[in-house]
Amino acid sequence: MQHVQVWVTTVDQSKLLQPCESSEFIGEKETDPFTIHIDNNKMYQQMDGFGASFTDASAWLMFKQLAASARTEAMIKLFDPVDGIGMTFLRQPIGACDFNAFIYSNDDMPPGETDEELKHFSISHDLEYTIPAIKEALKLNPKIKIMISPWSPPGWMKTSDHMIGGTLKPEYYAVYAQYFVKFIQAYEQEGIPIYAVTIQNEPGYEPKEYPGMIMRADEQIRFIGEYLGPAFELNNVHAKIICYDHNWDVLDYTRHVLNDAKASPYIAGSAWHCYGGNSAAMTEIHDEFPDKDIWFTEASGGEWIPAFHDGFMNQMKDLIRSTRNWAKSVIWWNIALDEHNGPTVLSKSTCRGLLKVNRESGEIIYNLDYYTMGHISKFVFPGAFRIDSNTFEDDLETVAFQNLDGSQVLIISNRLTVDRTIKVQCGSYSFQHKLLAESAATYTWREVVGQKK
């Protein structure tokens, strides 16, 4: 018999990613348990990693506002795979997004001026605290993969002459492709390899207060197929190109891009957010394009879903359902925000980070987002495969994985208001456990567990 380990979080916060003693496992006496069948002979997608974003606001708070000892402790809790939750994925904005004190790009020019040769391109802003934050994370966990995503090109490339609004001018497609190349090369010179890029954060939405722009599917097709893909090939850039990067409620955008004969060969797959539609959209796209991968790249907690109960239950649902629908990653949004949900260029921010950093007191609060992420990032390692498990939607939801070392992981969200006894059947072996009401549990074991049936 191999020992089964379990970590539990409850909505009353009496347990927060807390390891439970083996004595909490029960024998084969309970009647009519929910039976979870796990079949590691049925493997699905291979996982890339799990994490969040060192937005400008997050990195500034962590590396400019916290005392060194507090920052070290927080970084360990975020990235160390033993003493923390071991996050393995970072999605980094190129230039400003909505969570920074001011708007900037990596090649700003005065109004009316351009820099078509990118002579003024620089990552100097990132060098102050964002790159140190990423380097420290990589030191704690070298398995971290880095994805980069722009909210906007430099304003002078756009019809608005500003990073807010407008669209990318066709005459700057080639220049913008070189902007990506320069950014990747500059980061790699700093010892930060770039695993993947998305072309435009939320290309179907034009924000009014922060950087962004509409980028239609036909524009993304032309940019990738005629400019970015060839520029990556010419400059020996190996970062994956990922299309879309927006909500589940629009599938035709991704269909249109992936169906294009010129662009599709350069594209590794599509990226998705949770703010509209249903996670099943990713399976629909996967089934239509089985040779293209799926990434779940943004889900932010915030005041629109009350903490702790509603927010926790909602995020566990997104975590389980996104991976059951072929996502290779689960990425929350800001790693850290302050007591006013900033710094931000927004007139009012309702977003929540994994951490809340009080700028006056220096206190760090670990929000529910930290614990939901920990239920997967601490136990499912890059390269793991999702394996087959049955699930009871809106009741007892599950997802299972097998790591490359042979260890297996089962994540369960009990969405009921009562305790439930579960029976986990893995081949000819099984174990039972009492899962608390409205809780999440992560179980880990190696190969053979429990008693023969």
Side-chain angles (χ1 to χ4, degrees):
M1 174 178 177
Q2 295 282 334
H3 182 59
V4 180
Q5 296 178 302
V6 60
W7 285 260
V8 176
T9 301
T10 56
V11 293
D12 65 5
Q13 302 179 63
S14 61
K15 296 179 187 292
L16 294 170
L17 202 60
Q18 180 177 317
C20 296
E21 297 297 327
S22 59
S23 60
E24 296 196 20
F25 290 90
I26 59 178
E28 302 277 345
K29 298 179 180 179
E30 295 288 328
T31 59
D32 195 29
F34 272 57
T35 300
I36 310 300
H37 296 277
I38 295 175
D39 184 356
N40 65 348
N41 292 312
K42 293 182 180 178
M43 290 189 173
Y44 303 97
Q45 78 273 26
Q46 191 168 25
M47 309 310 297
D48 273 344
F50 314 95
S53 299
F54 261 129
T55 57
D56 188 75
S58 298
W60 181 80
L61 285 168
M62 295 280 286
F63 278 74
K64 290 296 183 179
Q65 293 295 292
L66 286 177
S69 58
R71 177 176 69 246
T72 297
E73 180 182 353
M75 291 291 287
I76 289 171
K77 287 187 175 181
L78 287 164
F79 296 104
D80 190 285
V82 176
D83 297 323
I85 61 171
M87 293 199 303
T88 51
F89 209 107
L90 289 170
R91 176 178 177 246
Q92 294 301 120
I94 303 177
C97 59
D98 35 347
F99 286 95
N100 23 257
F102 61 93
I103 294 173
Y104 62 91
S105 77
N106 295 96
D107 196 334
D108 288 328
M109 296 297 294
E113 295 187 24
T114 65
D115 181 23
E116 296 181 28
E117 296 181 6
L118 300 178
K119 292 180 179 180
H120 298 283
F121 179 90
S122 172
I123 59 166
S124 59
H125 180 93
D126 302 32
L127 287 167
E128 188 175 355
Y129 42 82
T130 302
I131 285 176
I134 298 170
K135 285 183 175 180
E136 182 65 23
L138 285 167
K139 187 184 298 183
L140 289 163
N141 194 339
K143 294 181 179 179
I144 292 171
K145 289 183 171 70
I146 313 291
M147 171 185 285
I148 56 172
S149 303
W151 267 240
S152 172
W156 55 266
M157 295 187 189
K158 299 169 65 181
T159 56
S160 60
D161 199 27
H162 199 284
M163 288 184 71
I164 299 176
T167 59
L168 179 62
K169 292 180 177 180
E171 60 263 36
Y172 291 123
Y173 278 25
V175 180
Y176 193 36
Q178 289 303 314
Y179 183 84
F180 275 87
V181 170
K182 280 184 170 288
F183 188 93
I184 292 168
Q185 290 175 338
Y187 263 59
E188 291 183 345
Q189 286 173 4
E190 291 295 322
I192 301 173
I194 302 302
Y195 172 71
V197 306
T198 68
I199 308 307
Q200 170 63 41
N201 175 69
E202 300 188 344
Y205 177 64
E206 186 176 21
K208 304 302 180 187
E209 291 188 301
Y210 63 90
M213 69 174 185
I214 298 292
M215 191 180 211
R216 299 189 312 270
D218 61 325
E219 294 172 313
Q220 194 158 116
I221 285 170
R222 186 182 175 203
F223 178 66
I224 295 172
E226 298 181 25
Y227 299 95
L228 188 65
F232 276 17
E233 281 188 340
L234 183 64
N235 291 277
N236 202 30
V237 172
H238 300 292
K240 294 179 183 294
I241 296 174
I242 300 172
C243 72
Y244 190 49
D245 208 9
H246 207 169
N247 292 337
W248 291 322
D249 55 355
V250 178
L251 280 71
D252 284 345
Y253 190 113
T254 300
R255 287 190 179 107
H256 189 33
V257 175
L258 294 182
N259 270 318
D260 184 79
K262 183 174 285 188
S264 186
Y266 293 114
I267 299 172
S270 54
W272 301 83
H273 299 185
C274 71
Y275 310 116
N278 187 287
S279 57
M282 296 186 294
T283 289
E284 193 169 336
I285 292 297
H286 169 269
D287 291 348
E288 292 179 34
F289 304 94
D291 60 332
K292 302 296 184 183
D293 288 324
I294 302 281
W295 288 266
F296 181 41
T297 51
E298 188 184 309
S300 179
E303 295 172 0
W304 58 91
I305 302 178
F308 189 96
H309 177 282
D310 292 7
F312 178 78
M313 299 301 287
N314 186 71
Q315 284 195 351
M316 288 307 303
K317 178 180 70 174
D318 283 344
L319 185 157
I320 289 172
R321 294 188 186 180
S322 63
T323 49
R324 287 190 70 91
N325 283 281
W326 294 95
K328 293 169 64 67
S329 63
V330 177
I331 307 171
W332 296 162
W333 185 204
N334 291 278
I335 285 177
L337 292 175
D338 66 17
E339 65 270 33
H340 305 296
N341 303 326
T344 179
V345 294
L346 298 171
S347 54
K348 177 177 173 58
S349 167
T350 57
C351 283
R352 180 182 63 240
L354 276 69
L355 278 56
K356 179 188 286 187
V357 175
N358 189 299
R359 290 166 62 178
E360 292 189 8
S361 68
E363 178 189 14
I364 300 174
I365 295 173
Y366 291 80
N367 288 324
L368 68 93
D369 319 68
Y370 173 85
Y371 298 105
T372 53
M373 177 53 60
H375 269 283
I376 193 167
S377 61
K378 186 174 177 66
F379 310 102
V380 182
F381 310 131
F385 285 91
R386 178 170 66 92
I387 56 177
D388 197 61
S389 67
N390 57 318
T391 193
F392 306 89
E393 198 161 290
D394 295 318
D395 194 334
L396 203 70
E397 302 205 12
T398 81
V399 65
F401 304 89
Q402 181 163 301
N403 288 310
L404 294 180
D405 64 3
S407 60
Q408 295 178 354
V409 181
L410 172 66
I411 303 171
I412 302 182
S413 173
N414 181 8
R415 309 190 69 79
L416 304 178
T417 57
V418 294
D419 298 350
R420 297 307 295 258
T421 298
I422 63 159
K423 178 179 180 180
V424 177
Q425 191 76 49
C426 184
S428 59
Y429 295 84
S430 67
F431 66 88
Q432 290 195 25
H433 188 240
K434 184 170 286 186
L435 188 60
L436 299 175
E438 295 183 308
S439 70
T442 298
Y443 302 85
T444 66
W445 64 89
R446 287 183 182 276
E447 298 177 358
V448 178
V449 301
Q451 303 293 332
K452 287 187 178 181
K453 64 181 181 181

